[in-house]
Every structure is written in C-alpha cells, then in structure tokens.
Amino acid sequence: MPLQFIGIDPNTGEGESPTVWADQERQELVFQGWKAGPELEAECAAFEVPGHAKGIPEHEAVIRIPARMVHIIREACDAIERPHVG
C-alpha cells in the first residue's frame, strides 16, 4: 500500500504528530491523530442516525484532528480524486 504523504500538523512538537496520507490504491484517506478520551468516545458511541448503529465497532476508532489541518485534509481529498497513475 504505497501511501502518499500529504501533511502533518503545522504545530507538531516532540511526540505529537497528527498526520494525513492518501492511499491512491484503495481510494482512502489515512489519518493519524490523537486518541479520543473516554468522554468523547462515549458521546460518539451513543450517537444514532439511520445507517449508523450505536457503539463503535472493534475495527474502528475515534480520533481527533486539529481544525488547523483542514487545508491538509482538503489537499488529501484532491489527491484521492485525481486519476491514479501507476
């Protein structure tokens, strides 16, 4: 899975590195972010809308990405929408 590095939190310091990649092959965005705390995870797990069951499946996780990275996420979306070469 060749990932395309898109960007890292501009305020990254030692041990903190929210990061965004694009996976062209799978047509997915890949995020590394801060783990959600128990309160946020519980709030997300309790959320219910059509097509979204309560809870968080074992194979999924809630992460937090700072809003200052919106431009990086947009760039990743653009990368995924470009035709895959290779």
Side-chain angles (χ1 to χ4, degrees), residues 42-79:
E43 184 177 348
C44 292
F47 200 81
E48 188 174 13
V49 295
H52 185 279
K54 279 187 169 184
I56 301 168
E58 281 295 315
H59 65 280
E60 295 181 5
V62 176
I63 62 165
R64 296 171 29 245
I65 300 286
R68 63 183 167 263
M69 293 180 67
V70 167
H71 69 284
I72 296 170
I73 295 167
R74 285 188 183 122
E75 185 179 336
C77 292
D78 291 343

Side-chain angles (χ1 to χ4, degrees), residues 1-4 6 17-18 21 26 28 31 39 42 49 53 56-57 59 64 69 79 82 86:
M1 162 171 67
L3 292 177
Q4 176 186 352
I6 302 297
S17 55
W21 296 270
R26 294 182 184 203
E28 296 174 345
F31 296 97
E39 289 178 8
V49 295
I56 301 168
H59 65 280
R64 296 171 29 245
M69 293 180 67
R82 283 193 289 267

